[in-house]
Amino acid sequence: MTVFAGLFDLSKWSPPRFLVCGFAVIILLGGLVLSLPVSSAQGTSLRYLDAVFTATSATCVTGLVVVDTGTYYSIFGQVVLLLLIQIGGLGFMTMATLFALVLRKRISLRERMILQEAMNQPSMQGIVQLIRRVFRYSVAIEAAGALLFTLRWSLDMPIGRAAYFGVFHAVSFFNNAGFDLFGEYHSLTTYAEDPMVNLIAMALIVLGGLGFVVLADLLEYPKSRCLSLHSKIVLCMTGILIVSGAIAVFAFEYGNTLGPLGGTGKILASFFQSVTARTAGANTVDISALHQATLFFVIFLMFVGAAPGSTAGGIKVTTFATLVGGVHAMVRGKDDIVFFRYRLARGRLLKALTITMLAMALIAAVTMALCVTENAAFIRVFFETVSAFATVGLSTGLTPDLSDAGRVLIACMMFAGRLGPLTLAYALGPKSEKELYRYPEGKLIIG
């Protein structure tokens, strides 16, 4: 009995376990609401498995769907999805903290520890102030995006519908969710050559993927005239990955999916696919028609993802930069990883290696399982698995045709990707104990 008492005693839960269970409860409740007839445009009940899959995709800000968002769900269902996206993007603990601050409740030490884990921060110092900034930045950016989208789409549809579309897609794109209302899984393919739609969407995706710490640094830059090491690495890696991704898409798809587009359209589409692969999930070209070389490069972009503490997924650009820095240091015979004249602690490299290896192991295991349960080409299965883990939402069209077992596997991947493999390991593993001794150093031949 004492074991079960400890299991359900929330005060004894570690922050990772609290986060995992909190997200799980939100997903199960969201799935229950989405399965109700009121959530369907036709007044029919959605299978609970499919509803939970969709709730997982929304809460984990992914965008993979088994039914079309724009045509299947009623306005009520779409609003529920929007709330799940916002909660999932900012984090349920962030939302709960905001309500507590409005009600002038005190934020306890335990709650600050959970917030630190949720926001992936190195310390609790200034965590409540960061939450306030997160809310202000999110509201301001989403409102600006919604207004600009409304102005553009008011040319194509009634102003009320344009405003609704503007709000929905601004929230979806800023939170890197990838859900859209254009129907028939078309996403933004109709606007492939529209500069305004492309630039607004890309700006929202990039801002959401930079992370709130970087956004705060950028806003403070006019006064401070300096950026943190974290912000410098995130901005540099983001720029490098976006440009290299655009060049690769342009080169591989010039005579394929980009063929029907004009010169400006080709450039816009190349950059948009590069940006959206950083865990956004919207697309302006048919993903299922991409060459295998393009799909493979997009898989790499999805796996890397965006910045820590953002609305995006993947192993994160800082993790990838640390790995690259480690390789560079080893090749040049250096002992330290140095960025912008700052040395990284060895623990950073070990954490980066751990996150990457756990992610690769999880992706490999689920890909092999899906190859058994699904009758599809390997590249499509691999693409869908990485898209789910990195909470991207791009799809070659496999997700709606998944078996029940496949849907469970992909839903688990989205859940693991949103929380992070290391957080899951901490939540599910036994409580660590301090080592009282060290073993003698051994010799091992490497390479």
Side-chain angles (χ1 to χ4, degrees):
M1 291 298 291
T2 56
V3 174
F4 288 103
L7 181 63
F8 292 101
D9 186 357
L10 298 184
S11 64
K12 295 182 179 179
W13 283 15
S14 64
R17 180 173 295 178
F18 193 89
L19 287 175
V20 169
C21 293
F23 267 97
V25 169
I26 291 171
I27 288 169
L28 294 175
L29 291 177
L32 181 63
V33 176
L34 290 175
S35 67
L36 299 175
V38 69
S39 297
S40 167
Q42 304 299 324
T44 57
S45 296
L46 184 65
R47 277 199 320 159
Y48 186 63
L49 174 61
D50 295 338
V52 168
F53 184 98
T54 307
T56 303
S57 184
T59 307
C60 298
V61 289
T62 305
L64 291 174
V65 292
V66 291
V67 294
D68 185 68
T69 307
T71 55
Y72 181 85
Y73 291 104
S74 63
I75 298 295
F76 175 81
Q78 291 169 2
V79 170
V80 171
L81 281 174
L82 198 64
L83 291 174
L84 290 175
I85 291 170
Q86 190 70 82
I87 292 172
L90 299 184
F92 78 95
M93 275 304 298
T94 302
M95 302 296 289
T97 303
L98 289 172
F99 281 115
L101 291 174
V102 170
L103 297 174
R104 299 184 181 279
K105 299 286 187 180
R106 181 179 175 273
I107 309 301
S108 67
L109 176 62
R110 174 171 173 74
E111 289 166 343
R112 292 170 191 264
M113 292 173 62
I114 297 173
L115 286 171
Q116 177 190 349
E117 179 71 26
M119 299 301 293
N120 200 15
Q121 294 301 298
S123 71
M124 289 185 290
Q125 184 177 0
I127 192 69
V128 175
Q129 182 61 30
L130 177 61
I131 297 302
R132 291 193 178 98
R133 289 181 175 182
V134 166
F135 179 71
R136 290 199 297 266
Y137 297 161
S138 300
V139 170
I141 294 171
E142 289 172 356
L147 177 61
L148 292 173
F149 271 144
T150 300
L151 293 175
R152 170 59 188 87
W153 285 328
S154 64
L155 304 176
D156 301 335
M157 58 187 75
I159 186 65
R161 184 176 175 81
Y164 176 62
F165 269 51
V167 171
F168 187 96
H169 292 93
V171 173
S172 178
F173 293 161
F174 176 71
N175 287 286
N176 282 224
F179 282 82
D180 70 88
L181 301 178
F182 291 100
E184 299 180 7
Y185 307 103
H186 283 165
S187 192
L188 296 178
T189 52
T190 308
Y191 298 96
E193 298 187 86
D194 190 305
M196 187 171 182
V197 171
N198 276 264
L199 292 175
I200 297 169
M202 284 191 286
L204 288 169
I205 293 167
V206 171
L207 289 173
L210 287 178
F212 299 105
V213 173
V214 178
L215 292 178
D217 259 10
L218 290 174
L219 290 175
E220 293 290 331
Y221 183 77
K223 295 180 180 179
S224 64
R225 289 296 173 182
C226 66
L227 294 173
S228 66
L229 176 63
H230 171 82
S231 296
K232 289 178 181 178
I233 293 176
V234 168
L235 292 171
C236 286
M237 290 302 300
T238 297
I240 291 170
L241 290 172
I242 288 176
V243 173
S244 61
I247 292 172
V249 172
F250 188 85
F252 294 147
E253 297 297 318
Y254 187 86
N256 187 31
T257 56
L258 301 181
L261 306 177
T264 303
K266 286 182 171 66
I267 295 173
L268 284 174
S270 298
F271 272 96
F272 192 92
Q273 265 52 241
S274 178
V275 168
T276 196
R278 309 286 311 294
T279 84
N283 57 283
T284 57
V285 300
D286 185 4
I287 299 299
S288 63
L290 296 177
H291 287 312
Q292 288 196 24
T294 314
L295 288 174
F296 196 79
F297 196 86
V298 171
I299 286 172
F300 163 73
L301 293 176
M302 293 192 299
F303 182 73
V304 173
S310 71
T311 59
I315 63 170
K316 306 297 189 292
V317 291
T318 49
T319 302
F320 180 67
T322 302
L323 294 176
V324 172
V327 173
H328 181 264
M330 177 63 69
V331 169
R332 298 196 64 183
K334 305 291 184 181
D335 292 330
D336 297 324
I337 301 173
V338 178
F339 291 117
F340 299 100
R341 299 183 180 180
Y342 283 95
R343 172 177 55 85
L344 294 188
R346 288 186 178 274
R348 298 295 91 189
L349 179 58
L350 289 176
K351 185 174 182 179
L353 285 169
T354 303
I355 291 171
T356 304
M357 292 302 296
L358 286 175
M360 292 174 65
L362 191 58
I363 289 171
V366 173
T367 300
M368 285 191 288
L370 287 173
C371 285
V372 175
T373 63
E374 312 304 318
N375 183 23
F378 173 78
I379 189 68
R380 295 182 65 200
V381 173
F382 188 36
F383 188 96
E384 221 80 2
T385 305
V386 177
S387 179
F389 170 79
T391 68
V392 178
L394 291 176
S395 175
T396 59
L398 178 63
T399 298
D401 299 326
L402 288 172
S403 64
D404 286 351
R407 296 182 186 201
V408 171
L409 287 170
I410 290 294
C412 290
M413 283 298 282
M414 292 188 287
F415 187 75
R418 180 65 183 94
L419 289 162
L422 203 56
T423 299
L424 276 179
Y426 287 151
L428 301 177
K431 186 177 180 180
S432 60
E433 297 180 358
K434 186 177 180 180
E435 294 183 349
L436 301 178
Y437 57 89
R438 297 178 70 186
Y439 291 101
E441 183 178 342
K443 304 297 182 182
L444 179 66
I445 300 174
I446 301 295

